[in-house]
Each structure stands twice: as C-alpha cells, then as structure tokens.
Amino acid sequence: MRQKRDAPLRSDAQRNRERILEAALEELTLCADAPLSVIARKAGVGQGTLYRNFPSREALVLEIYRHEMHQVADAATELIRTHEPDRALRAWMDHLARFAMTKAGLADAIRQATSTPGSPEKPGHTPVTTAAELLLRTNEEAGTIRPGVTGDDFVLAIAGLWQLDPHGDWQPRATRLLDLVMDGLRAGAPGGGQPG
C-alpha cells in the first residue's frame, strides 16, 4: 500500500494538515516547548491525526521552518514586481527582520529539534539565499548596488539580526543594521547607488 503514501492528500486530510501547521506555528512562536497535545487541540484534531501527519515533534518543527522560509522568500518576488529594485531589496530586508524577531520562539523550537544527537539537521537558508540572489541580481542589473555580492555574502552580512533581543526594542537597532548593510551594498554601485 505504498501508493497511498505518495498519493495526494484528500481535501479533509489536507485541511487537517494545514490547521496543524497553523496552530503549531502560533503555539511554538509563543513557547518553544508547547506540548503537542495543545497544538492538536488548537488545530481541532486528535493526537493520532497529528502524529499521522508529523510522526515526531522534530518533523513538525522542521516543516514549519521550511514553510516559513518559503513565505519569506516568496515576498521577494512580489516586492520586485511592485517596487524599484533598491526599494524592493530594502523592504525585503525589513520583512526578514520582522520574521526573525516575531518567530523567536520558533527559532528556539528549531534549535531544540535539531540539537540532540541523532536529530535531523536544521535545513539551510536556501529559499532565503535564493530570494536574496534574485534581489541582488535585479539591483546589480539596475546599477543600484555594487556588483558581485552573493546571496551567501548577504546572509552573512545580515546575520546580526538574529543577535537582537526580540523582546526588547529591536526595531531601531534592526533598522540601523539594515541601513548599514544597504549603504554597503550601494557603495561602488555603477549607477551611483544613492538612496531613493
């Protein structure tokens, strides 16, 4: 009966899975140690349904992480479509900062899920790095940033976001950090790279 496992989920099963992910995201963002029973209850499903979809806490946490990384990455495409390249990049950086700060509990849950021996590895930042590449190449073509900056360079440059205290007054510090990164990206831009 392996075919069933690979078959698309029925619509009610898909709705259950989505409700579990929504409830888990909300609960784990508030508290990294949120019990799975609380998540199941909030999603309106039994624990058996939760475990059929996510056989372990780690599987649930990592699926949420993957989903959230894709959400952040998808925002880049929309911003490029609706903003000038440099404004799209800066707006996306703000989006990334909000994600980093509002999902602090989720970050703790991910660390817990991936830190014990034999646990799965934390997925990389691939969707975020890919989105950064898209934004960087769009800006490079427009002459608004210096050439040659990679997505990996960018992720390293903004890594300070994850050092900010999400429970403190993080917004001014994040803005200052991201303005510094943006100024650095503009320095040496063929088009002058002046802020708009």
Side-chain angles (χ1 to χ4, degrees):
M1 296 299 275
R2 276 190 79 75
Q3 279 184 312
K4 251 187 165 334
R5 191 171 277 238
D6 296 334
L9 291 174
R10 294 183 333 251
S11 62
D12 60 329
Q14 183 62 38
R15 279 192 303 276
N16 283 344
R17 183 177 173 82
E18 289 167 6
R19 283 199 316 263
I20 292 167
L21 287 170
E22 286 171 21
L25 174 60
E26 190 174 322
E27 291 300 315
L28 292 170
T29 297
L30 293 172
C31 174
D33 298 320
L36 294 181
S37 58
V38 169
I39 293 169
R41 192 168 38 254
K42 184 169 192 122
V45 300
Q47 282 191 265
T49 299
L50 187 144
Y51 282 110
R52 265 193 305 283
N53 282 278
F54 304 100
S56 67
R57 178 182 197 81
E58 291 80 11
L60 176 60
V61 168
L62 294 178
E63 182 59 28
I64 292 168
Y65 178 81
R66 276 189 283 277
H67 179 264
E68 290 297 294
M69 286 291 100
H70 282 287
Q71 295 290 100
V72 169
D74 290 347
T77 306
E78 179 62 20
L79 288 166
I80 286 173
R81 198 176 63 70
T82 58
H83 293 72
E84 291 296 316
D86 58 337
R87 291 180 189 267
L89 176 58
R90 188 61 183 82
W92 187 72
M93 291 163 71
D94 287 335
H95 185 78
L96 196 56
R98 278 190 307 279
F99 169 79
M101 294 301 103
T102 60
K103 306 299 186 209
L106 179 59
D108 290 340
I110 291 164
R111 270 191 290 282
Q112 289 174 13
T114 58
S115 64
T116 56
S119 63
E121 274 189 38
K122 177 183 174 187
H125 291 105
T126 304
V128 170
T129 306
T130 302
E133 283 287 349
L134 174 66
L135 286 156
L136 292 168
R137 298 299 67 85
T138 301
N139 275 275
E140 195 174 309
E141 289 167 16
T144 54
I145 65 166
R146 66 185 328 136
V149 179
T150 69
D152 287 333
D153 294 337
F154 176 82
V155 169
L156 283 172
I158 64 162
L161 285 175
W162 282 267
Q163 302 305 312
L164 299 176
D165 178 5
H167 306 293
D169 191 19
W170 62 265
Q171 288 102 335
R173 294 190 73 196
T175 297
R176 195 166 54 251
L177 171 69
L178 296 177
D179 284 346
L180 284 169
V181 171
M182 197 69 198
D183 289 347
L185 290 169
R186 286 182 175 124
Q194 295 304 311

